[in-house]
Amino acid sequence: MAGTMRALLLREHGDLDKLQVVEDHPMPVADEGHVVIRVGASSFNYHDVFTVKGMPGIKVPMPVVIGLDMAGTITEVGAGVSGWSVGDRVLVNPLNKKKGLMGEMLDGGMAQYCRVAADQLIKMPAGVTFAQAASLPVAYGTAHRMIVTHNTIKAGDKVLILGASGGVGTGCVILAKQLGAHVIACAGSAEKCEALLKMGADEAINYNEVDFSKWATEKYGKPQRRNYEGGVDVVINFTGGDTWAKTLRCVKRGGKILVCGATAGHDPKEDLRYVWSFELQIIGSNSFYDDNLAALMEMIQDGRIAPVLDKVLPLDEAAEGLRLIRDREVLGKVVVLPNGDEG
């Protein structure tokens, strides 16, 4: 395959105005061990905001096509690739085992075509769309590993989810409800809270108006050291920052705090007295694996879950879609169709 294609390109770090849709990015070639896919859909994550801005210690090779998550159809198969054929519908695990993340260390999904290592491919069930599949890896895959793989939530648990309106957050709401939990969703506006209730959350808190920790102890009682009364069973906190100390104060004795990130700061004020006094379990979960993504696609295929898609945009509007994520103006995922259709 030769020629050029349209792509959302980052040539230097800075604000989102550094992103540019170009018409002449080189078409990828399926060299040994790789395939080329026609991108049916690609989705944004907050990680893409950090990539554009620049992160200390991470040197992004420029220029680069951004976008970690993508799904599409194989159009070319390179030498040494077995088990895959032209026309196969695939979801891409964005972690390239040799070079790092797609859309950061090598070209990602915000382009008409993308070169992908064959060991990153996961077969898509017939009943899953490219937009649904592309919404999964970083957000829903992370939530699935944290909740399902680590077996951290059971039926009847009171689960408080911070940042519930984003990609990981909506994934946590959906999966916790699937497991029979009582879900308390925290978001930053009345509109988002209303949408989360419609999505299935049992209760919703606007954290800009209400202290979530005080709300939880007023509603469910103050956690007790000598018995298991009071507090919530689980808090999902991938925010960090000034939410951390508040989280420690509203979890019941023996309860769990699930952590898969720290979008508001990784070095929060700590109070170890709560950890030992209430025998708290702080459980970390990192990333996701192929089995998480395959399981999620089966759940979509079976009608058990439906990823929350806030916007589905053409490539020309992709930078605006990323702005919506940066400014936290979305509920769920922003998906881009680089070819104008899902193919």
Side-chain angles (χ1 to χ4, degrees):
M1 192 177 290
T4 58
M5 63 176 180
R6 304 186 79 225
L8 182 67
L9 205 62
L10 178 68
R11 289 194 173 96
E12 60 179 309
H13 292 303
D15 207 342
L16 298 185
D17 60 2
K18 299 300 183 184
L19 289 171
Q20 182 183 5
V21 176
V22 300
E23 308 286 335
D24 59 351
H25 195 64
M27 188 78 78
V29 175
D31 54 8
E32 185 167 1
H34 291 76
V35 304
V36 171
I37 66 166
R38 180 187 190 271
V39 181
S42 181
S43 81
F44 280 126
N45 299 280
Y46 208 89
H47 187 96
D48 295 299
V49 176
F50 292 135
T51 299
V52 174
K53 188 177 180 179
M55 291 175 282
I58 297 179
K59 183 172 176 57
V60 176
M62 302 283 189
V64 67
V65 177
I66 68 167
L68 287 80
D69 294 344
M70 74 191 92
T73 306
I74 296 176
T75 57
E76 187 182 352
V77 177
V81 174
S82 61
W84 299 103
S85 303
V86 171
D88 286 348
R89 300 168 74 248
V90 294
L91 171 62
V92 176
N93 183 324
L95 180 60
N96 180 288
K97 295 176 179 63
K98 293 182 179 178
K99 294 189 176 180
L101 285 174
M102 308 288 289
E104 180 184 271
M105 303 313 293
L106 65 169
D107 280 351
M110 295 291 163
Q112 290 180 294
Y113 293 85
C114 186
R115 187 185 77 130
V116 182
D119 62 9
Q120 293 176 251
L121 303 176
I122 306 165
K123 189 172 180 60
M124 286 177 55
V128 179
T129 69
F130 289 131
Q132 289 173 326
S135 72
L136 295 177
V138 171
Y140 287 75
T142 297
H144 189 274
R145 179 170 175 78
M146 181 167 58
I147 292 171
V148 179
T149 303
H150 294 308
N151 193 25
T152 49
I153 291 174
K154 64 182 184 300
D157 280 349
K158 294 184 287 289
V159 180
L160 189 149
I161 302 170
L162 297 172
S165 63
V168 177
T170 53
C172 289
V173 170
I174 290 169
L175 291 172
K177 286 302 297 179
Q178 275 283 311
L179 292 169
H182 179 91
V183 171
I184 306 150
C186 300
S189 71
E191 293 77 15
K192 287 180 179 178
C193 286
E194 183 65 30
L196 286 161
L197 290 170
K198 290 179 180 176
M199 190 191 304
D202 298 285
E203 302 178 89
I205 305 169
N206 181 347
Y207 58 70
N208 285 319
E209 296 181 352
V210 177
D211 183 312
F212 73 87
S213 186
K214 290 180 180 177
W215 181 96
T217 54
E218 288 171 3
K219 179 76 182 278
Y220 296 109
K222 187 175 179 180
Q224 301 297 306
R225 288 181 173 87
R226 304 301 179 192
N227 59 49
Y228 294 93
E229 301 298 319
V232 299
D233 298 282
V234 180
V235 175
I236 297 177
N237 185 333
F238 46 82
T239 305
D242 60 8
T243 69
W244 184 252
K246 293 179 180 179
T247 294
L248 296 172
R249 293 195 289 267
C250 69
V251 181
K252 71 183 292 184
R253 179 184 171 192
K256 300 167 185 169
I257 301 171
L258 310 185
V259 183
C260 66
T263 56
H266 69 276
D267 189 20
K269 180 178 173 57
E270 181 65 277
D271 192 333
L272 292 173
R273 294 173 299 177
Y274 284 91
V275 178
W276 82 69
S277 297
F278 296 94
E279 299 180 331
L280 299 181
Q281 302 177 61
I282 299 170
I283 301 171
S285 184
N286 185 34
S287 191
F288 49 88
Y289 293 85
D290 288 358
D291 60 329
N292 301 115
L293 304 182
L296 285 161
M297 286 194 288
E298 286 300 322
M299 294 174 81
I300 297 171
Q301 169 89 351
D302 296 343
R304 286 178 283 158
I305 67 167
V308 180
L309 308 182
D310 188 292
K311 295 277 190 301
V312 179
L313 302 171
L315 191 62
D316 289 331
E317 298 175 29
E320 170 62 11
L322 190 53
R323 184 199 67 76
L324 293 172
I325 289 176
R326 181 196 66 187
D327 296 344
R328 305 189 189 283
E329 295 178 14
V330 300
L331 186 88
K333 295 288 294 183
V334 172
V335 173
V336 173
L337 309 181
N339 284 287
D341 58 50
E342 291 195 51

